[in-house]
Amino acid sequence: MIVTRAPGKLFIAGEYAVVEPGEPAVLIAVDRFLTVHLAPSDDVGRVHSREYGQAPVVWTRAEGPEHSVNIVVEHQPYDYVVSAITLMERLRDERGLPAHYFDLHIESDLDDSSGRKFGLGSSAAVTVAVVAALDEFYDLGLSRTERFRLALLSTITVAPNASGGDVAASTYGGWIRYSAPDRVTLRESLERHGVTKALTSPGWSPHRVDRLPDPSSLELLVGWTGSPASTERLVGGVRPPSGRTASPYESFVDESRDCVDALVASLRADDGRRALDVIGRARRLLQRLGETSGIRIETDELRLLCDLAERHGTAGKPSGAGGGDCGIVLAPTDVPLQRLLSAWEAQDIRRLDMSVQHLPGSADE
């Protein structure tokens, strides 16, 4: 039995703009996990997850054209798990390794007991964990960077506009500064040349991951509004159509970069007060983006979560695409938090008990 797991994520700053190649964001990995158990199988492959109901997804192999190994799913929609399996099977085939069937059992604590998602990046975490499990199963000897790249290639096969920031957080852990590659070029390379060559495509050049220090002067709080949101739908609503530019959006991207750069500098200097100011700027920037695009990024519940944070001497903002899900708060370590937490509780805002999750190894291995 092979067991792998990947942590969830939260965006701290840089949402929306990070989908543009080379534009930065700051994220953290959190100590809630998605776990994959892999066991060899004889006849077919199966994926067991409560996401699919009581019956597993059953898959087999079929002959495909050059540079491909097709995975045929008997039922259930195409998703991130199947995409990761497909990509890893293609890599295995390109390396001339024998094929084997296997069963996957997926467990997650990235949502609540009823299955409602917290917005902690479960799609990214499951992709990262499946890639890691198949790396071990086929003894591929992949580096952390290669696992990240395979997980992102799997992700953009399903969601072409995904930035990959959540994939990076689940792969590297801790606090990170992240910028995305050129996913259009990566997809073209994958389709034309196969997995192996896509791993070294020129499309990776705008991408970067840098580890950031934990701010000792700040404490992180996470609040959940109980309203799951669709990241892909929200991001698609604010980006101008391909080939067109929009001045408000261009201005937003520039200001977002400035915010992220300022936040990175404050974290490296452990300047908590400056970090709080930046979080406030990042929140207002998202508010303006919502107003200019007509997309409801900061819902009434998220607005209340953040307003209460500011009234109690801390700084809060939506995390990720907004529209529901989580808000994050950075609080000076000398500010008592019980009044804020009581105010949240009175408004049915649920504090999620979680911390930053670090993973061993460097960001460039």
Side-chain angles (χ1 to χ4, degrees):
M1 175 75 73
I2 293 171
V3 181
T4 59
R5 66 177 192 167
K9 61 76 189 157
L10 285 169
F11 272 90
I12 304 298
E15 299 93 337
Y16 287 97
V18 72
V19 301
E20 306 300 334
E23 294 298 333
V26 172
L27 302 94
I28 58 170
V30 297
D31 58 351
R32 295 210 179 188
F33 297 89
L34 188 141
T35 304
V36 168
H37 301 261
L38 183 152
S41 176
D42 293 328
D43 49 355
V44 296
R46 302 173 184 84
V47 181
H48 301 261
S49 169
R50 70 180 183 184
E51 293 286 323
Y52 305 134
Q54 294 185 351
V57 168
V58 179
W59 61 270
T60 57
R61 292 184 182 86
E63 292 297 325
E66 186 180 4
H67 303 310
S68 71
V69 173
N70 291 335
I71 299 299
V72 181
V73 180
E74 289 189 359
H75 59 85
Q76 296 293 338
Y78 185 80
D79 66 1
Y80 296 91
V81 174
V82 175
S83 180
I85 293 173
T86 301
L87 207 72
M88 295 299 284
E89 285 291 323
R90 288 178 178 174
L91 179 63
R92 185 268 314 155
D93 185 59
E94 289 173 15
R95 293 191 176 186
L97 299 174
H100 303 287
Y101 282 111
F102 49 86
D103 292 344
L104 299 179
H105 290 258
I106 299 170
E107 301 171 355
S108 175
D109 59 9
L110 301 181
D111 45 29
D112 73 359
S113 57
S114 66
R116 289 190 300 174
K117 297 183 182 301
F118 291 136
L120 299 178
S122 57
S123 298
V126 74
T127 307
V128 170
V130 169
V131 167
L134 290 176
D135 175 23
E136 184 174 347
F137 182 61
Y138 282 122
D139 195 21
L140 297 171
L142 301 172
S143 68
R144 186 194 300 263
T145 297
E146 288 171 325
R147 293 199 308 272
F148 161 76
R149 292 185 174 190
L150 287 161
L152 181 54
L153 289 169
S154 301
T155 298
I156 62 175
T157 301
V158 180
N161 291 328
S163 73
D166 49 2
V167 177
S170 290
T171 301
Y172 295 101
W175 289 76
I176 62 168
R177 179 195 183 277
Y178 172 83
S179 56
D182 179 350
R183 282 90 70 211
V184 172
T185 299
L186 293 183
R187 291 188 72 202
E188 290 175 351
S189 178
L190 181 62
E191 292 168 2
R192 293 179 182 179
H193 306 297
V195 180
T196 302
K197 290 188 176 180
L199 287 173
T200 56
S201 164
W204 293 107
S205 60
H207 158 68
R208 186 181 175 96
V209 177
D210 296 296
R211 288 197 186 277
L212 300 174
D214 284 37
S216 62
S217 59
L218 295 172
E219 182 174 351
L220 174 74
L221 297 180
V222 182
W224 185 52
T225 65
S227 302
S230 168
T231 297
E232 194 170 0
R233 175 180 57 81
L234 289 165
V235 170
V238 303
R239 295 185 78 198
S242 178
R244 291 177 51 191
T245 60
S247 293
Y249 183 73
E250 289 178 343
S251 176
F252 163 76
V253 172
D254 291 340
E255 291 185 64
S256 177
R257 186 187 318 117
D258 290 343
C259 276
V260 171
D261 289 345
L263 180 60
V264 168
S266 68
L267 292 171
R268 286 175 171 160
D270 201 10
D271 186 341
R273 287 298 171 184
R274 185 182 179 192
L276 296 189
D277 290 341
V278 175
I279 292 299
R281 284 173 51 197
R283 179 194 178 193
R284 293 189 292 275
L285 187 58
L286 287 177
Q287 288 173 334
R288 292 199 300 273
L289 178 66
E291 291 167 1
T292 58
S293 64
I295 298 296
R296 201 160 178 245
I297 296 173
E298 189 173 273
T299 62
D300 292 341
E301 294 83 1
L302 282 172
R303 178 173 288 108
L304 181 59
L305 181 156
C306 298
D307 286 347
L308 288 171
E310 292 178 356
R311 291 173 198 166
H312 288 82
T314 68
K317 60 177 286 295
S319 176
D325 286 336
C326 293
I328 59 99
V329 170
L330 294 183
T333 53
D334 59 355
V335 171
L337 298 177
Q338 190 52 52
R339 289 185 178 180
L340 170 58
L341 296 176
S342 296
W344 275 4
E345 185 177 1
Q347 298 295 331
D348 293 325
I349 297 169
R350 177 178 170 184
R351 180 190 181 182
L352 299 182
D353 185 15
M354 60 182 64
S355 302
V356 177
Q357 178 64 41
H358 295 275
L359 300 174
S362 65
D364 57 358
E365 67 177 20

